[in-house]
């Protein structure tokens, strides 16, 4: 089973600022954490992070026929990007949306999620554990379709 983990703009800055919202773990720590979860679960994982919307769209398109599932934190593009929504729809790869913070309890402009409309599940407000839950859910979903 192959899972692609995509992170959007500024996720590479984790741990450097705003620890009250996003925690103190760095992006590298997030990768190690997800890698160790996937290793334990026998999942082949790859990672992509970009600050550019089109690069994220390209990455999703390249996943077509290559990846079984996608875990995506589109970051700020969550709230703006129909292009990312369309790309996820186009490849039709089961995707799970993750947000480190509890976006539902934050600003009005964070209350819309375009990508979330096509994702089979969303985890938010669980910190790095949201990625773990997303991987475990995807494994179950891909194996059993539930
Ligand atoms: O909670 C999340 O995971 C978000 O997707 C994170 C995005 C934010 O725009 C979304 O509304 C919710 C922000 C990415 C990280 O931004 C940083 C800002 C300051 C310092 C470090 C990272």
């Amino acid at each position: 089973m192959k899972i692609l983990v995509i992170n959007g703009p500024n996720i590479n800055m984790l741990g450097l600022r705003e620890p009250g919202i996003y925690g103190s773990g760095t992006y590298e720590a997030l990768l190690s954490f997800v890698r160790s979860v996937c290793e334990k679960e026998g999942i082949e994982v790859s990672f992509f992070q970009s600050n550019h919307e089109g690069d994220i769209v390209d990455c999703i398109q390249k996943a077509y026929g290559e990846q079984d599932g996608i875990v995506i934190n589109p970051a700020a593009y969550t709230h703006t990007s129909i292009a990312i929504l369309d790309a996820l729809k186009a490849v039709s790869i089961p995707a799970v949306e993750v947000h480190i913070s509890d976006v539902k309890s934050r600003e009005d402009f964070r209350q819309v999620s375009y990508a979330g409309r096509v994702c089979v599940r969303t985890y938010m407000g669980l910190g790095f554990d949201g990625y773990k839950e997303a991987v475990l859910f995807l494994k179950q979903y891909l194996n059993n379709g539930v």
Side-chain angles (χ1 to χ4, degrees):
M1 182 180 293
K2 291 172 79 173
I3 289 182
L4 171 64
V5 179
I6 300 175
N7 280 291
N10 297 308
I11 297 286
N12 56 321
M13 300 294 280
L14 285 178
L16 304 182
R17 296 190 50 212
E18 301 210 57
I21 299 176
Y22 302 115
S24 54
T26 61
Y27 177 63
E28 285 307 319
L30 173 63
L31 299 194
S32 312
F33 174 67
V34 177
R35 216 176 268 125
S36 74
V37 170
C38 290
E39 216 169 272
K40 204 171 145 208
E41 296 297 324
I43 294 167
E44 200 179 317
V45 67
S46 50
F47 298 97
F48 182 78
Q49 188 278 328
S50 177
N51 298 321
H52 305 280
E53 185 176 17
D55 289 346
I56 295 171
V57 170
D58 286 344
C59 173
I60 293 168
Q61 289 185 6
K62 279 187 200 133
Y64 184 70
E66 295 289 327
Q67 301 287 340
D68 301 306
I70 292 176
V71 171
I72 185 162
N73 182 348
Y77 289 139
T78 304
H79 320 300
T80 61
S81 180
I82 297 168
I84 291 174
L85 164 67
D86 285 346
L88 289 170
K89 263 190 190 165
V91 297
S92 200
I93 298 170
V96 176
E97 177 186 26
V98 175
H99 296 288
I100 296 166
S101 66
D102 181 16
V103 283
K104 281 280 169 269
S105 62
R106 298 184 63 192
E107 301 93 329
D108 285 354
F109 60 82
R110 295 186 205 273
Q111 300 311 309
V112 167
S113 170
Y114 288 101
R117 288 176 178 229
V118 78
C119 289
V120 292
R121 184 159 287 210
T122 295
Y123 292 96
M124 61 175 72
L126 301 176
F128 285 6
D129 278 343
Y131 290 83
K132 178 182 179 176
E133 294 303 321
V135 164
L136 297 179
F137 177 82
L138 258 185
K139 184 181 177 184
Q140 185 197 336
Y141 184 89
L142 293 168
N143 282 333
N144 311 324
V146 186

